[in-house]
C-alpha cells in the first residue's frame, strides 16, 4: 500500500486555496496528487515527472494553446474546466488532426473554495475523456487574494495529422463555399445572461463541446475541406475577417441562411448586440470547394453536432478583403472587424 | 421574433422600394435628413441605400447623443472618476469616446479609475447603495428618450435618501438642434445643404409626441415624417417624404403610429419637468453653443447634481482641426469628404465623435458601407 505522507487530509468540502498550496512544499504536493493526479489519472501523468514523455505516431504534429479566464466560472452548459478542454481540443482538431494530449496550467486565487475546484477538475477530466485526450502534465500557481479572478486555466494540446492533408486559410480559393456547423451565439448569450447587472432569463445553454468527432467524419467524407476554424471570441464576424485577410479574399454571406436561435436573436436585440459577433465554443466554420459543399453539408447534418449546419456564404476575389452580407431585408452591408469587445471577457 | 420580424420583411421592403422608384420624379434630387443616429444605423445595417433610387440622398443628422457630447464634458467625466475618486457609471457606448489628448473613460479605467458600464441608470443607484462609503456618479447622456429614466432615478434617490449618489447631467433636446440646423447659414442662406425634409425621431417622439415638429413644417416649410427605427419604417417614411415633396406640402406625418401620439407621454414629460430645467445654452459637438438645448437638474434636487457636489475644472478641450465631424453633423459634408476618414480616424482609434458610436455617420459608413458590389 502507498504510504500517505500528509498529516492532514485536504478538506475538499469547506477548505480553500491558500498561498501554501503554491509554495512548492508538502501542501502543494498534496493538492496536486489528491486533486489533480487522481482525477486526470493516466500512466503518463502518474509518473509525476516535471515533463511528460509521449508516444507519438510518426506524422505531422499539431499544437495549440489557449488560456481561459471566463467570468462566471460556472455557466449553463459548462464551466471553465470543460471549456479549457473543449477550447484547445477544438483548436487542434480544426487542422483535421486527432487530438492526443493536453497540458494544463492553473493559476488559483488565494481563498478559492476547494469544493468548486474539485467540480472544475472533475469537469475537465470528464471532458478530456469524452474527447479522447489525456491530460499529461500540469502546473499550479497560487496568487494572493485580489490578484486573480478565482481560477485561470491554460491548456496546451498536441495532436497528429493522420490523413496528410494540410488545411489552412492559405488553401482557400474564390468560389469556395462556407459552411457553419450550427446555430451561432449560444455561448456568448448564455454567459451574458449571468452577468451582474444584465439579469435576463433564458434557457439558452452554452454550446461548449469538443468537435473532434464531427471533424473526423467531415474529413473522412470530404478530405477536400480546405480550412476549418472555430468562431470563438468575436464570433463568426471576427473569424471570417481574420480568414479573409489571411487568404487574401473577400467573403459574401447571406443573412437568411445563417442559423441563429430565436432566443439568441431576441437577447441580442434587447442588448443591442449583433449575434454575428457573439462567441461560440462548440461550432466550426468549414471552407470547401463549391462542388463538394452539398455533400459535406449532408455529412455534417447527419451528425448530432452538425444537425443545424448550413451553407452561409462563399468566397470571392477582393483586394479589400471585405466580409459583406446580403441582408434579409434585401440590401448589402459590411460585416467589419469587431471594434473592441461587445462585452468584457466572454471566454 | 414577433413585433420585430414584421418590420424587417424583405418582400415588403421590395414592394415599398418599387413604390418609391415609381413615385420619384427623375428630374429631381431629393435630400432628406434622418435626424437620429438610430435611423442612420438602421439605414446602413439593413443596406437601405441599395434599395433607393440614385436621386434620393440621405443626410445623416446630429441625433446621436454620444457623438454630439463635447470634449469638455468627457474631460469632466474623467475628472470626476480620476481626481474626485468617484465610482463613475456610464452607458457602454460612452466608454470609448475620446476627450482631450484622446483620453477616454476606457483609458482612465485602465489607469485605475473606478468606471463601470451600466445598462440602466437604476444599476448606478444600486451600486451607490452597495458602496455607501464611496461617491457614485451616473454619467447621464441622451435625448428626450433617456431623460425620464434619469429623472425617475433622481426621484428614487431622494425618496430613499441615497446620499452618496449624484448625476452628471448631459441630457439634450431635439427640437432646438433641428432649429439650429435649419437656421445655419449653410441651409438658410448659402443653400449648401439642400434639405427637402426630415425623418423625425422615433423614440424621442414617443416622449415628446409629434406636436413639437409642427413648428418646423410651418416656419421652415419642410415636411417631417416621424418614423420607427425598423428598416421598413425608414423606407415607408422616405416614400411619404417623396410624396409630400411631389405634392408641394410640408406637414408633420406620423409613420410610427404604433408608438407615437400627438402629445407624447404626459407622465414622462411631467416627471422630467419636475426634476430638470433648461440650460441657457449647451455645447454640441458639430453645432457649437446651442441656446436652450440642454437640461440641468433643478435647484430643489441640487444635492443630486454632480456639478454642484464636485468642483470641476473648466476644460478647454478642442476638437482636432482636420476632423470634419462638425460639418458632417450639419450635413455639409459626408464622411468620405474627411481626410482623416479611414486613415487616422477609424472605429479602433476614433478622432472625431462620429466615428465613436455605431450610430455616428462615420462609423456607420466605415463599418457597414464600404463594401464593393460584385
Amino acid at each position: 500500500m502507498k504510504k500517505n505522507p500528509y498529516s492532514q487530509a485536504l478538506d475538499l468540502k469547506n477548505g480553500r486555496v491558500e498561498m501554501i498550496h503554491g509554495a512548492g512544499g508538502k501542501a502543494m504536493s498534496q493538492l496536486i496528487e489528491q486533486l489533480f493526479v487522481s482525477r486526470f489519472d493516466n500512466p503518463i501523468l502518474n509518473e509525476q515527472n516535471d515533463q511528460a514523455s509521449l508516444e507519438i505516431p510518426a506524422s505531422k504534429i499539431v499544437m495549440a494553446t489557449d488560456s481561459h479566464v471566463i467570468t462566471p466560472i460556472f455557466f449553463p452548459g459548462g464551466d471553465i474546466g470543460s471549456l479549457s478542454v473543449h477550447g484547445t481540443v477544438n483548436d487542434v482538431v480544426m487542422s483535421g488532426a486527432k487530438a492526443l494530449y493536453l497540458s494544463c496550467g492553473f493559476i488559483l486565487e488565494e481563498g478559492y473554495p476547494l469544493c468548486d475546484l474539485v467540480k472544475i477538475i472533475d469537469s475537465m477530466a470528464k471532458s478530456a475523456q469524452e474527447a479522447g485526450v489525456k491530460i499529461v502534465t500540469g502546473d499550479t500557481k497560487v496568487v494572493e487574494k485580489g490578484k486573480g479572478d478565482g481560477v485561470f486555466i491554460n491548456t496546451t494540446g498536441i495532436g497528429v495529422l493522420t490523413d496528410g492533408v494540410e488545411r489552412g486559410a492559405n488553401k482557400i480559393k474564390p468560389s469556395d463555399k462556407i459552411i457553419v456547423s450550427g446555430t451561432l451565439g449560444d455561448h456568448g448569450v448564455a454567459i451574458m445572461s449571468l452577468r451582474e447587472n444584465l439579469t435576463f432569463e433564458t434557457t439558452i445553454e452554452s454550446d461548449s463541446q469538443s468537435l473532434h468527432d464531427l471533424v473526423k467524419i467531415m474529413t473522412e467524407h470530404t478530405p477536400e475541406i480546405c480550412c476549418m476554424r472555430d468562431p470563438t471570441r468575436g464570433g463568426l464576424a471576427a473569424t471570417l475577417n481574420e480568414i479573409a485577410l489571411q487568404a487574401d479574399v473577400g467573403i459574401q454571406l447571406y443573412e437568411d441562411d445563417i442559423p441563429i436561435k430565436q432566443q439568441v436573436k431576441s437577447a441580442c436585440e434587447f442588448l443591442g448586440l449583433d449575434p454575428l459577433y457573439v462567441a461560440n465554443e462548440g461550432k466550426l466554420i468549414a471552407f470547401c470547394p463549391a462542388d463538394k459543399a452539398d455533400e459535406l453539408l449532408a455529412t455534417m447534418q447527419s451528425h448530432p453536432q452538425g444537425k443545424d449546419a448550413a451553407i452561409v456564404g462563399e468566397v470571392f476575389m477582393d483586394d479589400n478583403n471585405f466580409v459583406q452580407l446580403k441582408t434579409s431585408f434585401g440590401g448589402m452591408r459590411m460585416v467589419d472587424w469587431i471594434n473592441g469587445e461587445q462585452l468584457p471577457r466572454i471566454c | 421574433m414577433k413585433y420585430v420580424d414584421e418590420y424587417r420583411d424583405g418582400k415588403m421592403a421590395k414592394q415599398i422600394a418599387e413604390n418609391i422608384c415609381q413615385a420619384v420624379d427623375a428630374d429631381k434630387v431629393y435630400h432628406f435628413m434622418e435626424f437620429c443616429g438610430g435611423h442612420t444605423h438602421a439605414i446602413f445595417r439593413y443596406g437601405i441605400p441599395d434599395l433607393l433610387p440614385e436621386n434620393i440622398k440621405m443626410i445623416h443628422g446630429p441625433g446621436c447623443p454620444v457623438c454630439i457630447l463635447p470634449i469638455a464634458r468627457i474631460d469632466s467625466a474623467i475628472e470626476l472618476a480620476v481626481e474626485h475618486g468617484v465610482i463613475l457609471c456610464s452607458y457602454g457606448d460612452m466608454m470609448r469616446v475620446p476627450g482631450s489628448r484622446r483620453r477616454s473613460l476606457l483609458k482612465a479605467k485602465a489607469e485605475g479609475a473606478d468606471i463601470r458600464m451600466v445598462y440602466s441608470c437604476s444599476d448606478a443607484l444600486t451600486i451607490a447603495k452597495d458602496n455607501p462609503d464611496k461617491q457614485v456618479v451616473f454619467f447621464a447622456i441622451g435625448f428626450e428618450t433617456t431623460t425620464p429614466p434619469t429623472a425617475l432615478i433622481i426621484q428614487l434617490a431622494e425618496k430613499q435618501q441615497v446620499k452618496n449618489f449624484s448625476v452628471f447631467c448631459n441630457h439634450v433636446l431635439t427640437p432646438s438642434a433641428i432649429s439650429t440646423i435649419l437656421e445655419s447659414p449653410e441651409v438658410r442662406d448659402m443653400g449648401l445643404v439642400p434639405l427637402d425634409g426630415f425623418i423625425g425621431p422615433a423614440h424621442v417622439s414617443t416622449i415628446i409626441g409629434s406636436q413639437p415638429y409642427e413648428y418646423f413644417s410651418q416656419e421652415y416649410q419642410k415636411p417631417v415624417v416621424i418614423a420607427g427605427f425598423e428598416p421598413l419604417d425608414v423606407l415607408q417614411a422616405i416614400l411619404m417624404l417623396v410624396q409630400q415633396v411631389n405634392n408641394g406640402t410640408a406637414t408633420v406625418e406620423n409613420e410610427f403610429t404604433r408608438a407615437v401620439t400627438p402629445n407624447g407621454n404626459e407622465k414622462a414629460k411631467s416627471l422630467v419637468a419636475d426634476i430638470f430645467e433648461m440650460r441657457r445654452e449647451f455645447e454640441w459637438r458639430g453645432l457649437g453653443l446651442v441656446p436652450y438645448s440642454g437640461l440641468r437638474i433643478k435647484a430643489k434636487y441640487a444635492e443630486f447634481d454632480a456639478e454642484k457636489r464636485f468642483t470641476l475644472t473648466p476644460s478647454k478641450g478642442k476638437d482636432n482641426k482636420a476632423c470634419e465631424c462638425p460639418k458632417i453633423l450639419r450635413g455639409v459634408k459626408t464622411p468620405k469628404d474627411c481626410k482623416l476618414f479611414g486613415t487616422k480616424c477609424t472605429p479602433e482609434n476614433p478622432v472625431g465623435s462620429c466615428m465613436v458610436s455605431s450610430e455616428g455617420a462615420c462609423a456607420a459608413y466605415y463599418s457597414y458601407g464600404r463594401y464593393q458590389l460584385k
Side-chain angles (χ1 to χ4, degrees):
Chain A
M1 207 178 85
K2 200 175 169 191
K3 214 164 76 184
N4 180 7
Y6 311 114
S7 50
Q8 275 189 329
L10 269 176
D11 181 358
L12 295 181
K13 207 168 154 201
N14 299 310
R16 287 178 182 273
V17 172
E18 296 169 34
M19 293 308 292
I20 197 172
H21 288 128
K26 250 187 187 175
M28 186 174 101
S29 171
Q30 184 183 18
L31 185 86
I32 291 172
E33 191 168 314
Q34 296 184 357
L35 220 58
F36 296 97
V37 178
S38 64
R39 285 173 170 78
F40 297 156
D41 184 40
N42 62 68
I44 305 170
L45 181 67
N46 292 351
E47 284 173 18
Q48 293 199 47
N49 290 320
D50 280 356
Q51 68 294 120
S53 38
L54 310 172
E55 298 280 355
I56 289 181
S59 66
K60 195 152 184 165
I61 290 174
V62 173
M63 186 171 166
T65 190
D66 207 342
S67 296
H68 301 269
V69 295
I70 192 163
T71 306
I73 286 173
F74 297 93
F75 50 84
D79 56 63
I80 195 170
S82 56
L83 189 69
S84 72
V85 173
H86 298 154
T88 299
V89 166
N90 287 345
D91 283 347
V92 169
V93 302
M94 285 307 120
S95 64
K98 178 178 165 45
L100 295 176
Y101 302 111
L102 283 184
S103 74
C104 64
F106 279 80
I107 294 174
L108 305 173
E109 186 184 9
E110 181 185 16
Y112 193 73
L114 288 179
C115 58
D116 283 345
L117 191 56
V118 169
K119 281 189 219 158
I120 293 167
I121 295 164
D122 281 340
S123 163
M124 275 184 91
K126 182 168 170 271
S127 304
Q129 198 193 10
E130 285 164 358
V133 293
K134 291 186 172 71
I135 297 172
V136 291
T137 183
D139 176 57
T140 310
K141 294 283 186 298
V142 179
V143 295
E144 281 172 43
K145 196 163 181 61
K147 294 193 171 171
D149 195 3
V151 180
F152 297 149
I153 306 176
N154 169 275
T155 50
T156 296
I158 286 182
V160 287
L161 207 53
T162 48
D163 67 357
V165 182
E166 283 195 32
R167 299 184 176 87
N170 58 342
K171 308 286 180 199
I172 293 171
K173 301 169 305 304
S175 86
D176 282 353
K177 294 278 182 192
I178 303 162
I179 306 180
V180 298
S181 66
T183 54
L184 298 177
D186 301 359
H187 175 74
V189 165
I191 297 300
M192 276 178 242
S193 70
L194 293 185
R195 289 263 156 84
E196 58 171 344
N197 78 10
L198 272 188
T199 41
F200 62 93
E201 282 180 23
T202 174
T203 52
I204 289 279
E205 290 201 346
S206 166
D207 57 359
S208 182
Q209 57 184 338
S210 289
L211 294 168
H212 59 287
D213 203 43
L214 177 66
V215 168
K216 185 165 171 275
I217 65 156
M218 286 169 65
T219 50
E220 277 170 8
H221 283 80
T222 314
E224 296 87 351
I225 296 169
C226 27
C227 180
M228 286 181 284
R229 288 274 167 95
D230 55 338
T232 52
R233 251 178 316 187
L236 181 73
T239 306
L240 289 183
N241 272 288
E242 239 171 63
I243 289 179
L245 189 69
Q246 290 163 1
D248 194 16
V249 295
I251 286 172
Q252 170 75 59
L253 294 172
Y254 299 95
E255 192 174 22
D256 275 338
D257 301 332
I258 299 174
I260 300 169
K261 284 187 182 131
Q262 195 54 57
Q263 287 195 49
V264 170
K265 274 188 192 168
S266 304
C268 286
E269 190 64 34
F270 77 71
L271 293 174
L273 305 176
D274 185 341
L276 299 184
Y277 292 86
V278 176
N280 310 280
E281 289 293 347
K283 298 289 151 51
L284 64 81
I285 311 170
F287 288 72
C288 80
D291 59 349
K292 296 285 173 193
D294 289 336
E295 164 195 315
L296 176 59
L297 181 67
T299 307
M300 291 170 77
Q301 286 172 339
S302 72
H303 191 279
Q305 290 180 327
K307 66 176 172 35
D308 298 320
I311 299 175
V312 296
E314 65 216 358
V315 177
F316 65 97
M317 280 203 352
D318 176 20
D319 291 340
N320 293 307
N321 308 139
F322 284 159
V323 179
Q324 45 183 288
L325 176 85
K326 175 91 175 165
T327 68
S328 303
F329 198 66
M332 290 275 277
R333 72 155 158 115
M334 295 254 307
V335 178
D336 202 9
W337 288 88
I338 190 165
N339 170 28
E341 293 190 62
Q342 291 212 104
L343 270 177
R345 286 198 3 217
I346 289 176
C347 58
Chain B
M1 214 181 318
K2 203 152 169 49
Y3 308 124
V4 171
D5 290 343
E6 293 90 329
Y7 301 100
R8 297 179 186 173
D9 180 58
K11 275 188 203 139
M12 184 72 90
K14 225 172 151 187
Q15 184 57 52
I16 302 176
E18 271 170 30
N19 294 348
I20 293 174
C21 286
Q22 280 168 14
V24 290
D25 178 345
D27 300 327
K28 225 184 227 167
V29 180
Y30 299 78
H31 296 90
F32 301 133
M33 175 180 274
E34 84 278 5
F35 179 81
C36 279
H39 285 131
T40 308
H41 187 83
I43 286 171
F44 285 100
R45 173 155 186 189
Y46 298 97
I48 289 176
D50 295 335
L51 301 172
L52 296 176
E54 284 200 355
N55 55 338
I56 292 185
K57 309 279 182 207
M58 299 306 296
I59 300 166
H60 317 298
C64 158
V66 173
C67 302
I68 58 90
L69 203 66
I71 280 187
R73 303 297 286 183
I74 295 156
D75 288 348
S76 295
I78 295 173
E79 185 187 341
L80 280 168
V82 175
E83 308 297 333
H84 297 276
V86 311
I87 300 177
L88 186 80
C89 302
S90 167
Y91 291 134
D93 40 5
M94 214 47 238
M95 300 288 282
R96 265 198 307 259
V97 185
S100 291
R101 300 182 305 282
R102 298 186 93 158
R103 207 154 168 235
S104 62
L105 293 180
L106 216 54
K107 284 185 180 151
K109 182 172 186 273
E111 288 162 16
D114 194 345
I115 297 173
R116 304 190 191 179
M117 192 181 92
V118 291
Y119 264 85
S120 153
C121 50
S122 66
D123 292 338
L125 192 63
T126 307
I127 290 170
K129 288 184 213 158
D130 292 345
N131 296 273
D133 52 336
K134 294 275 284 185
Q135 286 290 326
V136 175
V137 177
F138 175 60
F139 187 11
I141 64 154
F143 288 91
E144 290 87 341
T145 330
T146 49
T147 312
T150 308
L152 197 62
I153 221 67
I154 292 174
Q155 251 187 10
L156 264 179
E158 197 209 26
K159 206 170 153 194
Q160 299 172 353
Q161 289 292 298
V162 188
K163 296 286 185 192
N164 60 327
F165 177 77
S166 59
V167 170
F168 179 42
C169 178
N170 294 276
H171 287 299
V172 286
L173 302 167
T174 308
S176 33
I178 296 181
S179 291
T180 303
I181 294 166
L182 288 168
E183 282 293 339
S184 72
E186 290 106 336
V187 174
R188 204 144 215 204
D189 308 323
M190 301 186 293
L192 287 176
V193 183
L195 255 183
D196 301 311
F198 282 96
I199 295 183
H203 296 165
V204 163
S205 308
T206 64
I207 306 294
I208 66 172
S210 60
Q211 195 276 330
Y213 307 101
E214 296 289 347
Y215 172 75
F216 305 112
S217 63
Q218 286 159 15
E219 172 71 18
Y220 300 96
Q221 284 300 302
K222 304 285 183 197
V224 178
V225 177
I226 294 159
F229 281 144
E230 293 300 328
L232 279 183
D233 292 319
V234 178
L235 270 185
Q236 179 64 26
I238 292 171
L239 177 62
M240 290 161 81
L241 284 171
V242 167
Q243 286 163 341
Q244 281 213 44
V245 171
N246 289 351
N247 298 336
T249 55
T251 59
V252 177
E253 286 186 281
N254 182 9
E255 182 278 338
F256 198 27
T257 49
R258 62 188 189 275
V260 174
T261 57
N263 294 319
N265 184 332
E266 298 288 2
K267 210 171 172 183
K269 286 197 291 188
S270 74
L271 180 65
V272 168
D274 177 43
I275 307 282
F276 298 106
E277 63 191 6
M278 295 250 203
R279 291 175 194 260
R280 192 175 291 276
E281 56 186 17
F282 191 77
E283 190 193 345
W284 293 49
R285 262 193 196 184
L287 302 180
L289 286 171
V290 179
Y292 301 106
S293 66
L295 296 175
R296 66 174 176 222
I297 297 167
K298 278 184 174 170
K300 64 172 172 171
Y301 292 101
E303 59 171 318
F304 299 103
D305 187 345
E307 288 177 83
K308 301 251 168 63
R309 189 174 292 190
F310 305 96
T311 311
L312 294 169
T313 327
S315 156
K316 292 193 185 97
K318 286 266 185 295
D319 284 311
N320 185 317
K321 277 187 187 146
C323 169
E324 299 281 18
C325 281
K327 286 188 173 152
I328 292 165
L329 286 170
R330 295 202 305 276
V332 180
K333 292 201 169 181
T334 72
K336 286 173 185 167
D337 298 327
C338 178
K339 281 185 196 144
L340 304 180
F341 177 78
T343 53
K344 272 195 179 157
C345 183
T346 59
E348 298 80 51
N349 214 353
V351 175
S353 53
C354 300
M355 189 59 100
V356 174
S357 160
S358 65
E359 296 188 357
C362 295
Y365 258 68
Y366 189 90
S367 301
Y368 293 141
R370 285 176 304 147
Y371 68 86
Q372 312 266 305
L373 282 168
K374 274 195 284 183

